[in-house]
Amino acid sequence: MAASVSAASCEEGAGDDEECRDEAAALRLKMVAVAAILIAGAVGVAIPLVGRRRRGGGGGGGEGASSGGGTFVLAKAFAAGVILATGFVHMMHDAEEKFADPCLPATPWRRFPFPGFIAMLAALGTLVMEFVGTRFYERRHGEEASAAAAARDDTTALLEDGALAGIAAAAVSGDDEKQDAMHIVGMRAHAAAHQHSHAHGHDACDGGAVYDAHAQAHAHGHGHDHGHGGDERPSQAHHVVVSQILEMGIVSHSVIIGLSLGVSQSPCTIKPLVAALSSHQFFEGFALGGCISEAQFKNFSALLMAFFFAITTPIGITVGAGIASFYNANSPRALVVEGILDSMSSGILIYMALVDLIAADFLSRRMSCNPRLQVCSYVALFVGAIAMSSLAIWA
């Protein structure tokens, strides 16, 4: 008897509450959901990008434009908490529910922890993709960087020749000017030697801003030839790859939650999801927008990535509403596909939150040398994680 009831529920489809089933009301709510989620996602992803432009980041600002302010560091910490909670609390839980569904045969789906295994493979795959993608990006732009470096070297050589000529002229004109010039040269040499000998010592925080500026300029000039050079921060190529992989992980999950809402014919199910998914998309958009901003994309590329994220869930809802009459969300094939995609997205986002966002910022010299910023960043991290986790009550 129980087996026949279970089989019937698996064949009927979405499993909506029959007492609250109303296709017309559900369709109206889906239209509201499309508009609300589209606006929430667009606003969330736009905030960091607009903030970058106001700081003068344009399309290719420097490091100061992308992460110079403490507010931006706190926003990144909040976004890291959001992404971590999305992977652990939302996606992993959804994947476990799909693979544990009674509509799936017990063998092999409930005899092996597929969600964790697939998430692990996705995390390892993300590691490989980041390495290969960063190397590919650096090689692709290597010729441009080499030409620019050669031009800079030529300019530097000309300036050095001019400086030597000026020093020689000063030597002819008088002994006082010669002494001043030699004194300046000696001061610069002493400062360079002092920075070199103490940059990685126990006083790394002292004069850290000067050293960071020098290291950043050196990495910018030679990063395409020597990887990260002397800079402890990831290269722009790494930020580009991270933002693209992060969008891939978020978008795959957005499609699934859009389809799930779209195929539902129960207003009782859709109503709480509208507000919950709007907040969900806002937080995810904010996190993604921060990564896009840090990657320093050109304006068109950044706009394209933001637009693609904003429309993904509304498109999923629209497609789900179109196939609701014949789509069976409880079919074994649908459950397996959704479970695999959720598991992959979970692994990608957990890896990126822990490695590319939390570890990269919280273990940096800037964070360790600023206790106040460190404490505030930890608070922002936990607030982001808790806020996103709390949405799991409704969605």
Side-chain angles (χ1 to χ4, degrees), residues 225-261:
D225 297 329
H226 303 287
H228 296 301
D231 189 11
E232 70 174 15
R233 297 188 184 95
S235 65
Q236 182 187 357
H238 182 74
H239 288 310
V240 169
V241 175
V242 165
S243 62
Q244 291 175 342
I245 297 177
L246 178 62
E247 176 153 16
M248 180 181 67
I250 291 177
V251 162
S252 63
H253 180 65
S254 298
V255 171
I256 294 173
I257 61 177
L259 283 172
S260 300
L261 189 151

PDB file of all heavy atoms in Angstrom, residues 225-261:
ATOM      1  N   ASP A 225      55.521  38.121 -16.743  1.00  0.00           N
ATOM      2  CA  ASP A 225      56.713  37.345 -17.007  1.00  0.00           C
ATOM      3  C   ASP A 225      57.072  36.431 -15.852  1.00  0.00           C
ATOM      4  O   ASP A 225      57.693  35.401 -16.034  1.00  0.00           O
ATOM      5  CB  ASP A 225      57.907  38.281 -17.273  1.00  0.00           C
ATOM      6  CG  ASP A 225      57.690  39.131 -18.516  1.00  0.00           C
ATOM      7  OD1 ASP A 225      56.996  38.629 -19.430  1.00  0.00           O
ATOM      8  OD2 ASP A 225      58.196  40.271 -18.573  1.00  0.00           O
ATOM      9  N   HIS A 226      56.655  36.831 -14.617  1.00  0.00           N
ATOM     10  CA  HIS A 226      57.100  36.077 -13.460  1.00  0.00           C
ATOM     11  C   HIS A 226      55.945  35.728 -12.529  1.00  0.00           C
ATOM     12  O   HIS A 226      56.129  35.591 -11.336  1.00  0.00           O
ATOM     13  CB  HIS A 226      58.144  36.891 -12.673  1.00  0.00           C
ATOM     14  CG  HIS A 226      59.317  37.292 -13.506  1.00  0.00           C
ATOM     15  ND1 HIS A 226      60.275  36.403 -13.904  1.00  0.00           N
ATOM     16  CD2 HIS A 226      59.680  38.502 -14.028  1.00  0.00           C
ATOM     17  CE1 HIS A 226      61.214  37.034 -14.626  1.00  0.00           C
ATOM     18  NE2 HIS A 226      60.857  38.301 -14.721  1.00  0.00           N
ATOM     19  N   GLY A 227      54.752  35.584 -13.044  1.00  0.00           N
ATOM     20  CA  GLY A 227      53.635  35.202 -12.196  1.00  0.00           C
ATOM     21  C   GLY A 227      53.237  36.360 -11.312  1.00  0.00           C
ATOM     22  O   GLY A 227      52.942  37.448 -11.766  1.00  0.00           O
ATOM     23  N   HIS A 228      53.304  36.156  -9.997  1.00  0.00           N
ATOM     24  CA  HIS A 228      52.878  37.178  -9.048  1.00  0.00           C
ATOM     25  C   HIS A 228      54.008  38.105  -8.667  1.00  0.00           C
ATOM     26  O   HIS A 228      53.806  39.051  -7.933  1.00  0.00           O
ATOM     27  CB  HIS A 228      52.317  36.518  -7.773  1.00  0.00           C
ATOM     28  CG  HIS A 228      51.097  35.716  -8.037  1.00  0.00           C
ATOM     29  ND1 HIS A 228      49.968  36.253  -8.583  1.00  0.00           N
ATOM     30  CD2 HIS A 228      50.825  34.419  -7.841  1.00  0.00           C
ATOM     31  CE1 HIS A 228      49.041  35.327  -8.717  1.00  0.00           C
ATOM     32  NE2 HIS A 228      49.557  34.209  -8.266  1.00  0.00           N
ATOM     33  N   GLY A 229      55.217  37.846  -9.108  1.00  0.00           N
ATOM     34  CA  GLY A 229      56.325  38.709  -8.776  1.00  0.00           C
ATOM     35  C   GLY A 229      56.534  38.785  -7.290  1.00  0.00           C
ATOM     36  O   GLY A 229      56.463  37.819  -6.573  1.00  0.00           O
ATOM     37  N   GLY A 230      56.805  40.011  -6.793  1.00  0.00           N
ATOM     38  CA  GLY A 230      57.051  40.180  -5.377  1.00  0.00           C
ATOM     39  C   GLY A 230      55.805  40.516  -4.602  1.00  0.00           C
ATOM     40  O   GLY A 230      55.886  40.851  -3.438  1.00  0.00           O
ATOM     41  N   ASP A 231      54.642  40.452  -5.182  1.00  0.00           N
ATOM     42  CA  ASP A 231      53.417  40.864  -4.518  1.00  0.00           C
ATOM     43  C   ASP A 231      52.720  39.660  -3.941  1.00  0.00           C
ATOM     44  O   ASP A 231      52.582  38.641  -4.575  1.00  0.00           O
ATOM     45  CB  ASP A 231      52.496  41.555  -5.537  1.00  0.00           C
ATOM     46  CG  ASP A 231      51.308  42.203  -4.865  1.00  0.00           C
ATOM     47  OD1 ASP A 231      51.315  42.289  -3.635  1.00  0.00           O
ATOM     48  OD2 ASP A 231      50.386  42.629  -5.597  1.00  0.00           O
ATOM     49  N   GLU A 232      52.229  39.813  -2.730  1.00  0.00           N
ATOM     50  CA  GLU A 232      51.550  38.691  -2.095  1.00  0.00           C
ATOM     51  C   GLU A 232      50.101  38.580  -2.537  1.00  0.00           C
ATOM     52  O   GLU A 232      49.453  37.566  -2.310  1.00  0.00           O
ATOM     53  CB  GLU A 232      51.609  38.861  -0.568  1.00  0.00           C
ATOM     54  CG  GLU A 232      50.746  39.981  -0.063  1.00  0.00           C
ATOM     55  CD  GLU A 232      50.706  40.029   1.443  1.00  0.00           C
ATOM     56  OE1 GLU A 232      51.547  39.402   2.082  1.00  0.00           O
ATOM     57  OE2 GLU A 232      49.804  40.698   1.991  1.00  0.00           O
ATOM     58  N   ARG A 233      49.544  39.639  -3.172  1.00  0.00           N
ATOM     59  CA  ARG A 233      48.162  39.585  -3.625  1.00  0.00           C
ATOM     60  C   ARG A 233      48.061  38.828  -4.936  1.00  0.00           C
ATOM     61  O   ARG A 233      48.976  38.825  -5.734  1.00  0.00           O
ATOM     62  CB  ARG A 233      47.620  41.009  -3.830  1.00  0.00           C
ATOM     63  CG  ARG A 233      47.578  41.850  -2.560  1.00  0.00           C
ATOM     64  CD  ARG A 233      46.851  43.155  -2.840  1.00  0.00           C
ATOM     65  NE  ARG A 233      46.869  44.012  -1.667  1.00  0.00           N
ATOM     66  CZ  ARG A 233      47.765  44.961  -1.461  1.00  0.00           C
ATOM     67  NH1 ARG A 233      48.721  45.152  -2.347  1.00  0.00           N
ATOM     68  NH2 ARG A 233      47.714  45.707  -0.381  1.00  0.00           N
ATOM     69  N   PRO A 234      46.894  38.184  -5.188  1.00  0.00           N
ATOM     70  CA  PRO A 234      46.720  37.499  -6.460  1.00  0.00           C
ATOM     71  C   PRO A 234      46.768  38.488  -7.621  1.00  0.00           C
ATOM     72  O   PRO A 234      46.451  39.661  -7.479  1.00  0.00           O
ATOM     73  CB  PRO A 234      45.327  36.856  -6.333  1.00  0.00           C
ATOM     74  CG  PRO A 234      45.053  36.802  -4.870  1.00  0.00           C
ATOM     75  CD  PRO A 234      45.757  37.998  -4.287  1.00  0.00           C
ATOM     76  N   SER A 235      47.153  37.987  -8.795  1.00  0.00           N
ATOM     77  CA  SER A 235      47.243  38.829  -9.975  1.00  0.00           C
ATOM     78  C   SER A 235      45.854  39.130 -10.515  1.00  0.00           C
ATOM     79  O   SER A 235      44.863  38.509 -10.138  1.00  0.00           O
ATOM     80  CB  SER A 235      48.087  38.130 -11.046  1.00  0.00           C
ATOM     81  OG  SER A 235      47.423  36.959 -11.483  1.00  0.00           O
ATOM     82  N   GLN A 236      45.802  40.092 -11.440  1.00  0.00           N
ATOM     83  CA  GLN A 236      44.525  40.408 -12.060  1.00  0.00           C
ATOM     84  C   GLN A 236      43.991  39.221 -12.835  1.00  0.00           C
ATOM     85  O   GLN A 236      42.782  38.982 -12.863  1.00  0.00           O
ATOM     86  CB  GLN A 236      44.673  41.611 -12.989  1.00  0.00           C
ATOM     87  CG  GLN A 236      43.350  42.023 -13.627  1.00  0.00           C
ATOM     88  CD  GLN A 236      43.506  43.104 -14.666  1.00  0.00           C
ATOM     89  OE1 GLN A 236      44.605  43.605 -14.877  1.00  0.00           O
ATOM     90  NE2 GLN A 236      42.420  43.463 -15.325  1.00  0.00           N
ATOM     91  N   ALA A 237      44.896  38.456 -13.465  1.00  0.00           N
ATOM     92  CA  ALA A 237      44.460  37.267 -14.188  1.00  0.00           C
ATOM     93  C   ALA A 237      43.740  36.302 -13.260  1.00  0.00           C
ATOM     94  O   ALA A 237      42.716  35.702 -13.619  1.00  0.00           O
ATOM     95  CB  ALA A 237      45.658  36.584 -14.846  1.00  0.00           C
ATOM     96  N   HIS A 238      44.249  36.156 -12.046  1.00  0.00           N
ATOM     97  CA  HIS A 238      43.610  35.258 -11.080  1.00  0.00           C
ATOM     98  C   HIS A 238      42.226  35.773 -10.705  1.00  0.00           C
ATOM     99  O   HIS A 238      41.267  34.995 -10.617  1.00  0.00           O
ATOM    100  CB  HIS A 238      44.490  35.160  -9.836  1.00  0.00           C
ATOM    101  CG  HIS A 238      43.958  34.233  -8.780  1.00  0.00           C
ATOM    102  ND1 HIS A 238      44.005  32.857  -8.917  1.00  0.00           N
ATOM    103  CD2 HIS A 238      43.343  34.470  -7.603  1.00  0.00           C
ATOM    104  CE1 HIS A 238      43.455  32.299  -7.852  1.00  0.00           C
ATOM    105  NE2 HIS A 238      43.051  33.258  -7.045  1.00  0.00           N
ATOM    106  N   HIS A 239      42.089  37.085 -10.497  1.00  0.00           N
ATOM    107  CA  HIS A 239      40.783  37.652 -10.165  1.00  0.00           C
ATOM    108  C   HIS A 239      39.790  37.450 -11.306  1.00  0.00           C
ATOM    109  O   HIS A 239      38.599  37.207 -11.064  1.00  0.00           O
ATOM    110  CB  HIS A 239      40.925  39.141  -9.856  1.00  0.00           C
ATOM    111  CG  HIS A 239      41.588  39.429  -8.547  1.00  0.00           C
ATOM    112  ND1 HIS A 239      41.200  38.842  -7.361  1.00  0.00           N
ATOM    113  CD2 HIS A 239      42.627  40.251  -8.231  1.00  0.00           C
ATOM    114  CE1 HIS A 239      41.954  39.297  -6.376  1.00  0.00           C
ATOM    115  NE2 HIS A 239      42.834  40.145  -6.876  1.00  0.00           N
ATOM    116  N   VAL A 240      40.258  37.567 -12.537  1.00  0.00           N
ATOM    117  CA  VAL A 240      39.379  37.362 -13.695  1.00  0.00           C
ATOM    118  C   VAL A 240      38.838  35.943 -13.710  1.00  0.00           C
ATOM    119  O   VAL A 240      37.635  35.701 -13.865  1.00  0.00           O
ATOM    120  CB  VAL A 240      40.142  37.671 -15.002  1.00  0.00           C
ATOM    121  CG1 VAL A 240      39.336  37.206 -16.210  1.00  0.00           C
ATOM    122  CG2 VAL A 240      40.433  39.159 -15.115  1.00  0.00           C
ATOM    123  N   VAL A 241      39.726  34.971 -13.523  1.00  0.00           N
ATOM    124  CA  VAL A 241      39.314  33.565 -13.537  1.00  0.00           C
ATOM    125  C   VAL A 241      38.379  33.270 -12.375  1.00  0.00           C
ATOM    126  O   VAL A 241      37.366  32.573 -12.527  1.00  0.00           O
ATOM    127  CB  VAL A 241      40.553  32.650 -13.506  1.00  0.00           C
ATOM    128  CG1 VAL A 241      40.145  31.192 -13.386  1.00  0.00           C
ATOM    129  CG2 VAL A 241      41.401  32.850 -14.755  1.00  0.00           C
ATOM    130  N   VAL A 242      38.690  33.803 -11.190  1.00  0.00           N
ATOM    131  CA  VAL A 242      37.848  33.572 -10.008  1.00  0.00           C
ATOM    132  C   VAL A 242      36.441  34.094 -10.234  1.00  0.00           C
ATOM    133  O   VAL A 242      35.445  33.404  -9.939  1.00  0.00           O
ATOM    134  CB  VAL A 242      38.481  34.235  -8.768  1.00  0.00           C
ATOM    135  CG1 VAL A 242      37.472  34.323  -7.629  1.00  0.00           C
ATOM    136  CG2 VAL A 242      39.698  33.443  -8.312  1.00  0.00           C
ATOM    137  N   SER A 243      36.315  35.292 -10.769  1.00  0.00           N
ATOM    138  CA  SER A 243      34.982  35.870 -10.982  1.00  0.00           C
ATOM    139  C   SER A 243      34.176  35.065 -11.990  1.00  0.00           C
ATOM    140  O   SER A 243      32.962  34.873 -11.823  1.00  0.00           O
ATOM    141  CB  SER A 243      35.108  37.324 -11.441  1.00  0.00           C
ATOM    142  OG  SER A 243      35.793  37.401 -12.675  1.00  0.00           O
ATOM    143  N   GLN A 244      34.841  34.551 -13.017  1.00  0.00           N
ATOM    144  CA  GLN A 244      34.116  33.779 -14.028  1.00  0.00           C
ATOM    145  C   GLN A 244      33.680  32.424 -13.495  1.00  0.00           C
ATOM    146  O   GLN A 244      32.559  31.968 -13.755  1.00  0.00           O
ATOM    147  CB  GLN A 244      34.995  33.625 -15.269  1.00  0.00           C
ATOM    148  CG  GLN A 244      35.209  34.932 -16.011  1.00  0.00           C
ATOM    149  CD  GLN A 244      36.176  34.821 -17.170  1.00  0.00           C
ATOM    150  OE1 GLN A 244      36.950  33.873 -17.254  1.00  0.00           O
ATOM    151  NE2 GLN A 244      36.159  35.786 -18.066  1.00  0.00           N
ATOM    152  N   ILE A 245      34.541  31.754 -12.737  1.00  0.00           N
ATOM    153  CA  ILE A 245      34.157  30.456 -12.159  1.00  0.00           C
ATOM    154  C   ILE A 245      33.071  30.651 -11.112  1.00  0.00           C
ATOM    155  O   ILE A 245      32.127  29.849 -11.009  1.00  0.00           O
ATOM    156  CB  ILE A 245      35.387  29.761 -11.549  1.00  0.00           C
ATOM    157  CG1 ILE A 245      36.419  29.446 -12.637  1.00  0.00           C
ATOM    158  CG2 ILE A 245      34.975  28.468 -10.846  1.00  0.00           C
ATOM    159  CD1 ILE A 245      37.691  28.821 -12.113  1.00  0.00           C
ATOM    160  N   LEU A 246      33.173  31.722 -10.324  1.00  0.00           N
ATOM    161  CA  LEU A 246      32.147  31.996  -9.322  1.00  0.00           C
ATOM    162  C   LEU A 246      30.792  32.214  -9.986  1.00  0.00           C
ATOM    163  O   LEU A 246      29.769  31.691  -9.513  1.00  0.00           O
ATOM    164  CB  LEU A 246      32.536  33.230  -8.511  1.00  0.00           C
ATOM    165  CG  LEU A 246      31.536  33.690  -7.448  1.00  0.00           C
ATOM    166  CD1 LEU A 246      31.352  32.608  -6.394  1.00  0.00           C
ATOM    167  CD2 LEU A 246      32.004  34.980  -6.797  1.00  0.00           C
ATOM    168  N   GLU A 247      30.776  32.962 -11.066  1.00  0.00           N
ATOM    169  CA  GLU A 247      29.498  33.181 -11.768  1.00  0.00           C
ATOM    170  C   GLU A 247      28.948  31.864 -12.299  1.00  0.00           C
ATOM    171  O   GLU A 247      27.739  31.626 -12.242  1.00  0.00           O
ATOM    172  CB  GLU A 247      29.675  34.176 -12.906  1.00  0.00           C
ATOM    173  CG  GLU A 247      28.415  34.365 -13.713  1.00  0.00           C
ATOM    174  CD  GLU A 247      28.321  35.722 -14.367  1.00  0.00           C
ATOM    175  OE1 GLU A 247      29.339  36.410 -14.447  1.00  0.00           O
ATOM    176  OE2 GLU A 247      27.214  36.089 -14.802  1.00  0.00           O
ATOM    177  N   MET A 248      29.803  30.992 -12.796  1.00  0.00           N
ATOM    178  CA  MET A 248      29.345  29.698 -13.287  1.00  0.00           C
ATOM    179  C   MET A 248      28.679  28.899 -12.174  1.00  0.00           C
ATOM    180  O   MET A 248      27.617  28.290 -12.363  1.00  0.00           O
ATOM    181  CB  MET A 248      30.522  28.916 -13.866  1.00  0.00           C
ATOM    182  CG  MET A 248      30.154  27.550 -14.413  1.00  0.00           C
ATOM    183  SD  MET A 248      31.596  26.657 -15.052  1.00  0.00           S
ATOM    184  CE  MET A 248      32.513  26.371 -13.522  1.00  0.00           C
ATOM    185  N   GLY A 249      29.296  28.892 -10.983  1.00  0.00           N
ATOM    186  CA  GLY A 249      28.711  28.152  -9.868  1.00  0.00           C
ATOM    187  C   GLY A 249      27.397  28.731  -9.409  1.00  0.00           C
ATOM    188  O   GLY A 249      26.453  28.001  -9.098  1.00  0.00           O
ATOM    189  N   ILE A 250      27.311  30.060  -9.356  1.00  0.00           N
ATOM    190  CA  ILE A 250      26.071  30.698  -8.902  1.00  0.00           C
ATOM    191  C   ILE A 250      24.961  30.533  -9.928  1.00  0.00           C
ATOM    192  O   ILE A 250      23.802  30.261  -9.587  1.00  0.00           O
ATOM    193  CB  ILE A 250      26.333  32.194  -8.616  1.00  0.00           C
ATOM    194  CG1 ILE A 250      27.233  32.344  -7.391  1.00  0.00           C
ATOM    195  CG2 ILE A 250      25.023  32.944  -8.410  1.00  0.00           C
ATOM    196  CD1 ILE A 250      27.610  33.778  -7.077  1.00  0.00           C
ATOM    197  N   VAL A 251      25.301  30.687 -11.206  1.00  0.00           N
ATOM    198  CA  VAL A 251      24.284  30.616 -12.255  1.00  0.00           C
ATOM    199  C   VAL A 251      23.656  29.237 -12.337  1.00  0.00           C
ATOM    200  O   VAL A 251      22.436  29.106 -12.534  1.00  0.00           O
ATOM    201  CB  VAL A 251      24.913  31.036 -13.610  1.00  0.00           C
ATOM    202  CG1 VAL A 251      24.060  30.564 -14.771  1.00  0.00           C
ATOM    203  CG2 VAL A 251      25.085  32.543 -13.664  1.00  0.00           C
ATOM    204  N   SER A 252      24.458  28.180 -12.188  1.00  0.00           N
ATOM    205  CA  SER A 252      23.898  26.827 -12.273  1.00  0.00           C
ATOM    206  C   SER A 252      22.858  26.606 -11.181  1.00  0.00           C
ATOM    207  O   SER A 252      21.821  25.966 -11.413  1.00  0.00           O
ATOM    208  CB  SER A 252      25.016  25.792 -12.171  1.00  0.00           C
ATOM    209  OG  SER A 252      25.666  25.880 -10.917  1.00  0.00           O
ATOM    210  N   HIS A 253      23.115  27.144  -9.999  1.00  0.00           N
ATOM    211  CA  HIS A 253      22.137  27.020  -8.922  1.00  0.00           C
ATOM    212  C   HIS A 253      20.923  27.905  -9.174  1.00  0.00           C
ATOM    213  O   HIS A 253      19.787  27.518  -8.860  1.00  0.00           O
ATOM    214  CB  HIS A 253      22.796  27.388  -7.595  1.00  0.00           C
ATOM    215  CG  HIS A 253      21.884  27.306  -6.415  1.00  0.00           C
ATOM    216  ND1 HIS A 253      21.334  26.121  -5.980  1.00  0.00           N
ATOM    217  CD2 HIS A 253      21.410  28.258  -5.571  1.00  0.00           C
ATOM    218  CE1 HIS A 253      20.570  26.335  -4.926  1.00  0.00           C
ATOM    219  NE2 HIS A 253      20.591  27.623  -4.661  1.00  0.00           N
ATOM    220  N   SER A 254      21.147  29.080  -9.745  1.00  0.00           N
ATOM    221  CA  SER A 254      20.033  29.992 -10.017  1.00  0.00           C
ATOM    222  C   SER A 254      19.047  29.392 -11.009  1.00  0.00           C
ATOM    223  O   SER A 254      17.833  29.577 -10.886  1.00  0.00           O
ATOM    224  CB  SER A 254      20.574  31.326 -10.558  1.00  0.00           C
ATOM    225  OG  SER A 254      21.398  31.957  -9.612  1.00  0.00           O
ATOM    226  N   VAL A 255      19.564  28.669 -11.991  1.00  0.00           N
ATOM    227  CA  VAL A 255      18.680  28.014 -12.957  1.00  0.00           C
ATOM    228  C   VAL A 255      17.782  27.003 -12.248  1.00  0.00           C
ATOM    229  O   VAL A 255      16.567  26.923 -12.505  1.00  0.00           O
ATOM    230  CB  VAL A 255      19.501  27.329 -14.064  1.00  0.00           C
ATOM    231  CG1 VAL A 255      18.609  26.464 -14.938  1.00  0.00           C
ATOM    232  CG2 VAL A 255      20.215  28.364 -14.908  1.00  0.00           C
ATOM    233  N   ILE A 256      18.372  26.238 -11.330  1.00  0.00           N
ATOM    234  CA  ILE A 256      17.605  25.192 -10.642  1.00  0.00           C
ATOM    235  C   ILE A 256      16.510  25.792  -9.763  1.00  0.00           C
ATOM    236  O   ILE A 256      15.359  25.338  -9.783  1.00  0.00           O
ATOM    237  CB  ILE A 256      18.555  24.314  -9.808  1.00  0.00           C
ATOM    238  CG1 ILE A 256      19.500  23.545 -10.729  1.00  0.00           C
ATOM    239  CG2 ILE A 256      17.766  23.334  -8.942  1.00  0.00           C
ATOM    240  CD1 ILE A 256      20.573  22.780 -10.007  1.00  0.00           C
ATOM    241  N   ILE A 257      16.851  26.822  -8.978  1.00  0.00           N
ATOM    242  CA  ILE A 257      15.820  27.383  -8.096  1.00  0.00           C
ATOM    243  C   ILE A 257      14.748  28.096  -8.919  1.00  0.00           C
ATOM    244  O   ILE A 257      13.577  28.129  -8.527  1.00  0.00           O
ATOM    245  CB  ILE A 257      16.438  28.341  -7.055  1.00  0.00           C
ATOM    246  CG1 ILE A 257      17.142  29.519  -7.723  1.00  0.00           C
ATOM    247  CG2 ILE A 257      17.394  27.609  -6.143  1.00  0.00           C
ATOM    248  CD1 ILE A 257      17.711  30.532  -6.734  1.00  0.00           C
ATOM    249  N   GLY A 258      15.133  28.658 -10.077  1.00  0.00           N
ATOM    250  CA  GLY A 258      14.129  29.257 -10.947  1.00  0.00           C
ATOM    251  C   GLY A 258      13.173  28.221 -11.508  1.00  0.00           C
ATOM    252  O   GLY A 258      11.951  28.425 -11.516  1.00  0.00           O
ATOM    253  N   LEU A 259      13.720  27.104 -11.966  1.00  0.00           N
ATOM    254  CA  LEU A 259      12.865  26.026 -12.471  1.00  0.00           C
ATOM    255  C   LEU A 259      11.954  25.481 -11.381  1.00  0.00           C
ATOM    256  O   LEU A 259      10.768  25.209 -11.614  1.00  0.00           O
ATOM    257  CB  LEU A 259      13.737  24.899 -13.033  1.00  0.00           C
ATOM    258  CG  LEU A 259      14.366  25.128 -14.409  1.00  0.00           C
ATOM    259  CD1 LEU A 259      15.352  24.008 -14.729  1.00  0.00           C
ATOM    260  CD2 LEU A 259      13.298  25.214 -15.482  1.00  0.00           C
ATOM    261  N   SER A 260      12.492  25.316 -10.177  1.00  0.00           N
ATOM    262  CA  SER A 260      11.688  24.769  -9.075  1.00  0.00           C
ATOM    263  C   SER A 260      10.499  25.662  -8.761  1.00  0.00           C
ATOM    264  O   SER A 260       9.395  25.179  -8.497  1.00  0.00           O
ATOM    265  CB  SER A 260      12.566  24.589  -7.832  1.00  0.00           C
ATOM    266  OG  SER A 260      13.631  23.700  -8.090  1.00  0.00           O
ATOM    267  N   LEU A 261      10.737  26.965  -8.772  1.00  0.00           N
ATOM    268  CA  LEU A 261       9.619  27.875  -8.522  1.00  0.00           C
ATOM    269  C   LEU A 261       8.666  27.897  -9.716  1.00  0.00           C
ATOM    270  O   LEU A 261       7.442  27.933  -9.543  1.00  0.00           O
ATOM    271  CB  LEU A 261      10.148  29.275  -8.234  1.00  0.00           C
ATOM    272  CG  LEU A 261       9.139  30.327  -7.744  1.00  0.00           C
ATOM    273  CD1 LEU A 261       9.838  31.354  -6.859  1.00  0.00           C
ATOM    274  CD2 LEU A 261       8.450  31.058  -8.898  1.00  0.00           C
TER     275      LEU A 261
END
